[in-house]
Amino acid sequence: MTVSVPAAPYAFELEPEATALVIIDMQRDFLEPGGFGSMLGNDVSLLTRTIAPLQTVLATARATGMLVIHTREGHRPDLADAPPAKLSRGHLSCGIGDPGPFGRILVRGEHGHGIIDELAPADGEPVLDKPGKGAFYATDLELLLHNAGIQKLIVTGVTTEVCVHTTVREANDRGFECLVLSDCVGSYFPEFHEVGLKMIAAQGGIFGWVTDSPTLLEQLEAGAAPVASTTTLS
Ligand code: C5J
């Protein structure tokens, strides 16, 4: 079954069995009030607005039998996989590895590093721990996708211009085609979110495609390939 999803810059064609839903870094430290993100002065509501639509997409992906992959940004407790340049960046008084509101910040096993309850991974769904911004760097994501026969990715999560963008660029260079869901990705900076999405679909889809979750779900639920159409980014 091929599903044709209206998108910018033009319709995205996907076969559910060759498509994975990738959920980037929906972690407590980034999303929950009082966590690392909000401690830095960010408005986490700009990220939490993604949770409800993403729950619906996740439920549909699971019902469709699509491969679902979760990622978490973070480090080993001894920080051996955290480049000194990353640890010192920003001269933060409380940064990666330090005791934070939800345990040591972005350290594996700590409460804040965990995925929010609303999007908890189901048994058998891969959860990739990544030390960098991109989900391909220093992980086995490419191998998992290759072995599962995946060519297309539906990319969601946070933040739009950082880990989502880096992952889409990495995927694009490796020959994967990415559909980014505008309502299922979020940034602390609305202007970066808007421009980040435009950059993906610009120049004929230089990094990929952009649509929203209702548009994707409508086509997945219809289970057919209607006449291809295009949407514009608002
Ligand atoms: C992510 C970040 N996940 N903004 N991390 O985007 O540092």
Side-chain angles (χ1 to χ4, degrees), residues 24-25 30 73 130 133 158-159 162-164:
I24 308 277
D25 301 358
F30 293 127
E73 180 177 352
K130 62 186 186 61
K133 304 304 182 194
V158 298
T159 62
V162 184
C163 291
V164 170

PDB file of all heavy atoms in Angstrom, residues 24-25 30 73 130 133 158-159 162-164, ligand 1:
ATOM      1  N   ILE A  24      12.136  11.999  18.581  1.00  0.00           N
ATOM      2  CA  ILE A  24      13.420  12.521  19.064  1.00  0.00           C
ATOM      3  C   ILE A  24      13.286  13.160  20.452  1.00  0.00           C
ATOM      4  O   ILE A  24      12.553  14.144  20.634  1.00  0.00           O
ATOM      5  CB  ILE A  24      13.956  13.613  18.099  1.00  0.00           C
ATOM      6  CG1 ILE A  24      13.992  13.136  16.644  1.00  0.00           C
ATOM      7  CG2 ILE A  24      15.297  14.162  18.556  1.00  0.00           C
ATOM      8  CD1 ILE A  24      15.172  12.347  16.257  1.00  0.00           C
ATOM      9  N   ASP A  25      13.987  12.627  21.422  1.00  0.00           N
ATOM     10  CA  ASP A  25      14.315  13.313  22.692  1.00  0.00           C
ATOM     11  C   ASP A  25      13.120  13.904  23.449  1.00  0.00           C
ATOM     12  O   ASP A  25      13.217  15.017  23.990  1.00  0.00           O
ATOM     13  CB  ASP A  25      15.352  14.423  22.437  1.00  0.00           C
ATOM     14  CG  ASP A  25      16.645  13.905  21.836  1.00  0.00           C
ATOM     15  OD1 ASP A  25      16.769  12.692  21.649  1.00  0.00           O
ATOM     16  OD2 ASP A  25      17.536  14.727  21.543  1.00  0.00           O
ATOM     17  N   PHE A  30      13.782  18.119  28.953  1.00  0.00           N
ATOM     18  CA  PHE A  30      13.477  19.135  27.946  1.00  0.00           C
ATOM     19  C   PHE A  30      12.047  19.645  28.062  1.00  0.00           C
ATOM     20  O   PHE A  30      11.767  20.799  27.742  1.00  0.00           O
ATOM     21  CB  PHE A  30      13.685  18.570  26.526  1.00  0.00           C
ATOM     22  CG  PHE A  30      15.124  18.257  26.199  1.00  0.00           C
ATOM     23  CD1 PHE A  30      15.477  16.997  25.734  1.00  0.00           C
ATOM     24  CD2 PHE A  30      16.116  19.208  26.347  1.00  0.00           C
ATOM     25  CE1 PHE A  30      16.804  16.692  25.436  1.00  0.00           C
ATOM     26  CE2 PHE A  30      17.444  18.923  26.042  1.00  0.00           C
ATOM     27  CZ  PHE A  30      17.789  17.655  25.588  1.00  0.00           C
ATOM     28  N   GLU A  73      18.709  12.083  24.291  1.00  0.00           N
ATOM     29  CA  GLU A  73      20.038  12.699  24.334  1.00  0.00           C
ATOM     30  C   GLU A  73      20.576  12.578  25.748  1.00  0.00           C
ATOM     31  O   GLU A  73      19.875  12.921  26.709  1.00  0.00           O
ATOM     32  CB  GLU A  73      19.958  14.184  23.948  1.00  0.00           C
ATOM     33  CG  GLU A  73      21.336  14.858  23.982  1.00  0.00           C
ATOM     34  CD  GLU A  73      21.337  16.320  23.545  1.00  0.00           C
ATOM     35  OE1 GLU A  73      20.303  16.804  23.064  1.00  0.00           O
ATOM     36  OE2 GLU A  73      22.395  16.956  23.709  1.00  0.00           O
ATOM     37  N   LYS A 130      21.730   8.680  22.505  1.00  0.00           N
ATOM     38  CA  LYS A 130      22.650   9.373  21.596  1.00  0.00           C
ATOM     39  C   LYS A 130      23.413  10.461  22.361  1.00  0.00           C
ATOM     40  O   LYS A 130      22.817  11.227  23.110  1.00  0.00           O
ATOM     41  CB  LYS A 130      21.888   9.956  20.408  1.00  0.00           C
ATOM     42  CG  LYS A 130      20.842  10.992  20.747  1.00  0.00           C
ATOM     43  CD  LYS A 130      20.060  11.363  19.496  1.00  0.00           C
ATOM     44  CE  LYS A 130      19.095  12.493  19.703  1.00  0.00           C
ATOM     45  NZ  LYS A 130      19.671  13.767  20.108  1.00  0.00           N
ATOM     46  N   LYS A 133      23.644  15.558  18.926  1.00  0.00           N
ATOM     47  CA  LYS A 133      22.356  16.117  18.522  1.00  0.00           C
ATOM     48  C   LYS A 133      21.685  15.210  17.485  1.00  0.00           C
ATOM     49  O   LYS A 133      20.487  14.978  17.524  1.00  0.00           O
ATOM     50  CB  LYS A 133      22.535  17.539  17.962  1.00  0.00           C
ATOM     51  CG  LYS A 133      23.236  18.509  18.916  1.00  0.00           C
ATOM     52  CD  LYS A 133      22.529  18.602  20.252  1.00  0.00           C
ATOM     53  CE  LYS A 133      23.208  19.602  21.180  1.00  0.00           C
ATOM     54  NZ  LYS A 133      22.734  19.465  22.571  1.00  0.00           N
ATOM     55  N   VAL A 158      11.737  16.876  19.713  1.00  0.00           N
ATOM     56  CA  VAL A 158      12.298  18.194  20.047  1.00  0.00           C
ATOM     57  C   VAL A 158      13.827  18.141  20.015  1.00  0.00           C
ATOM     58  O   VAL A 158      14.404  17.097  20.233  1.00  0.00           O
ATOM     59  CB  VAL A 158      11.818  18.630  21.453  1.00  0.00           C
ATOM     60  CG1 VAL A 158      10.300  18.769  21.473  1.00  0.00           C
ATOM     61  CG2 VAL A 158      12.286  17.692  22.563  1.00  0.00           C
ATOM     62  N   THR A 159      14.431  19.301  19.755  1.00  0.00           N
ATOM     63  CA  THR A 159      13.815  20.539  19.323  1.00  0.00           C
ATOM     64  C   THR A 159      13.964  20.675  17.816  1.00  0.00           C
ATOM     65  O   THR A 159      14.912  20.131  17.240  1.00  0.00           O
ATOM     66  CB  THR A 159      14.444  21.770  20.024  1.00  0.00           C
ATOM     67  OG1 THR A 159      15.831  21.857  19.664  1.00  0.00           O
ATOM     68  CG2 THR A 159      14.343  21.670  21.534  1.00  0.00           C
ATOM     69  N   VAL A 162      17.352  21.903  16.453  1.00  0.00           N
ATOM     70  CA  VAL A 162      18.582  21.281  16.967  1.00  0.00           C
ATOM     71  C   VAL A 162      18.556  19.780  16.641  1.00  0.00           C
ATOM     72  O   VAL A 162      19.017  19.368  15.580  1.00  0.00           O
ATOM     73  CB  VAL A 162      18.765  21.571  18.481  1.00  0.00           C
ATOM     74  CG1 VAL A 162      20.101  20.995  18.961  1.00  0.00           C
ATOM     75  CG2 VAL A 162      18.749  23.080  18.742  1.00  0.00           C
ATOM     76  N   CYS A 163      18.019  18.965  17.526  1.00  0.00           N
ATOM     77  CA  CYS A 163      18.152  17.517  17.315  1.00  0.00           C
ATOM     78  C   CYS A 163      17.289  16.996  16.173  1.00  0.00           C
ATOM     79  O   CYS A 163      17.672  16.052  15.477  1.00  0.00           O
ATOM     80  CB  CYS A 163      17.875  16.786  18.621  1.00  0.00           C
ATOM     81  SG  CYS A 163      19.185  17.082  19.829  1.00  0.00           S
ATOM     82  N   VAL A 164      16.120  17.608  15.960  1.00  0.00           N
ATOM     83  CA  VAL A 164      15.292  17.180  14.824  1.00  0.00           C
ATOM     84  C   VAL A 164      16.002  17.541  13.521  1.00  0.00           C
ATOM     85  O   VAL A 164      16.165  16.704  12.619  1.00  0.00           O
ATOM     86  CB  VAL A 164      13.886  17.818  14.902  1.00  0.00           C
ATOM     87  CG1 VAL A 164      13.113  17.579  13.616  1.00  0.00           C
ATOM     88  CG2 VAL A 164      13.129  17.263  16.103  1.00  0.00           C
TER      89      VAL A 164
HETATM   90  C1  C5J B   1      17.625  18.623  21.515  1.00  0.00           C
HETATM   91  C2  C5J B   1      18.993  20.316  22.519  1.00  0.00           C
HETATM   92  N1  C5J B   1      17.071  17.451  21.759  1.00  0.00           N
HETATM   93  N2  C5J B   1      18.239  21.308  22.068  1.00  0.00           N
HETATM   94  N3  C5J B   1      18.602  19.026  22.355  1.00  0.00           N
HETATM   95  O1  C5J B   1      17.257  19.318  20.580  1.00  0.00           O
HETATM   96  O2  C5J B   1      20.015  20.554  23.103  1.00  0.00           O
END
